[in-house]
């Protein structure tokens, strides 16, 4: 799967802990396009103690969403980099319907569009198990539950947004890591 321009633009979608970051890195190696994680970008800003990092740290630690306007700036700037000329694997954005609309505008302005939105379906008890095992700063029981609540209310509606546009590819994310990668590549018509 690739556009007429030969680029491949994938979005990885699903609840916290479903494996978006893990699969984005593996797909990036397989497809030769950069993995872009808004969560990683924000965590790097926090670590660097930048103005953005100082603004978002407490929001992230509470499991809430950073506001749409801030995220639009972050993503617009990142997708303006030269390294996305052949495409990208985007993980963590969009997380609200307005963010999905903004992404569409950013891509349209560059005469580009998404090829597929890969939804990783994983049962909730497995999501909690994975996050507790990982132990990131925002992986405490209470914050994980809040991130899942925010996902259900604000992010899950995006599934319908992309299903309506014929872009949604649903994948069983509750398999061994490499099997998930192979299933994704198979589903989007790429060979391993
Ligand atoms: P973000 O970093 O995007 O967090 P998230 O969506 O909660 O996703 P996770 O990183 O928890 O999970 P993942 O699906 O990437 O799974 P992973 O591969 O790590 O965002 C963090 C925060 O930033 C948000 O809460 C918000 O505050 C803010 N933010 C970011 N983007 C934003 C936006 N657009 N708008 C507003 N705010 C935003 O895997 C999880 C674990 O499971 C790992 O330990 C992994 O090794 C393991 N694992 C993965 N796959 C498998 C498998 N198949 N089998 C067994 N274990 C597996």
């Amino acid at each position: 799967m690739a556009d007429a321009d030969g680029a491949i633009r994938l979005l990885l979608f699903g609840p916290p802990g479903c494996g978006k970051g893990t699969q984005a890195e593996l797909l990036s190696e397989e497809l030769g396009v950069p993995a872009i994680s808004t969560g990683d970008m924000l965590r790097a800003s926090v670590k660097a103690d930048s103005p953005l990092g100082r603004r978002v740290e407490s929001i992230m630690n509470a499991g809430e969403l950073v506001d749409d306007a801030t995220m639009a700036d972050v993503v617009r700037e990142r997708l303006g980099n030269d390294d996305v000329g052949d495409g990208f694997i985007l993980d963590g954005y969009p997380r609200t319907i307005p963010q999905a609309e903004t992404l569409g505008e950013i891509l349209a302005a560059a005469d580009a569009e998404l090829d597929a939105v890969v939804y990783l379906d994983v049962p909730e008890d497995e999501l909690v198990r994975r996050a507790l095992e990982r132990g990131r700063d925002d992986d405490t029981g209470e914050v994980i539950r809040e991130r899942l609540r925010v996902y259900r209310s604000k992010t899950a509606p995006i599934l319908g947004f992309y299903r309506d546009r014929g872009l949604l590819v649903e994948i069983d994310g509750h398999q061994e890591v490499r099997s998930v990668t192979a299933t994704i590549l198979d589903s989007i018509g790429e060979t391993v």
Side-chain angles (χ1 to χ4, degrees), residues 80-96:
N81 284 7
D82 289 342
D83 68 341
V84 300
D86 289 334
F88 54 77
I89 318 282
L90 185 55
D91 145 33
Y93 190 92
R95 266 179 149 91
T96 63

Side-chain angles (χ1 to χ4, degrees), residues 14-23 37-40 42-43 56 59-61 63-68 71 75 91-96 99 120 126 129-131 133-134 136 138-139 147 173-178 180:
C18 70
K20 301 182 294 292
T22 303
Q23 295 302 324
S37 156
T38 50
D40 284 352
L42 295 174
R43 277 184 288 278
V56 302
I59 299 171
M60 294 178 73
N61 286 339
E64 304 298 334
L65 293 183
V66 174
D67 67 277
D68 290 343
M71 293 312 302
V75 170
D91 145 33
Y93 190 92
R95 266 179 149 91
T96 63
Q99 289 187 10
L120 299 177
E126 171 70 4
R129 190 196 68 75
R130 288 183 189 178
E133 193 173 282
R134 180 178 57 184
R136 212 168 62 193
D138 58 348
D139 283 339
R147 277 159 53 213
H174 195 188
Q175 315 174 58
E176 193 271 320
V177 169
R178 287 282 174 183
V180 177

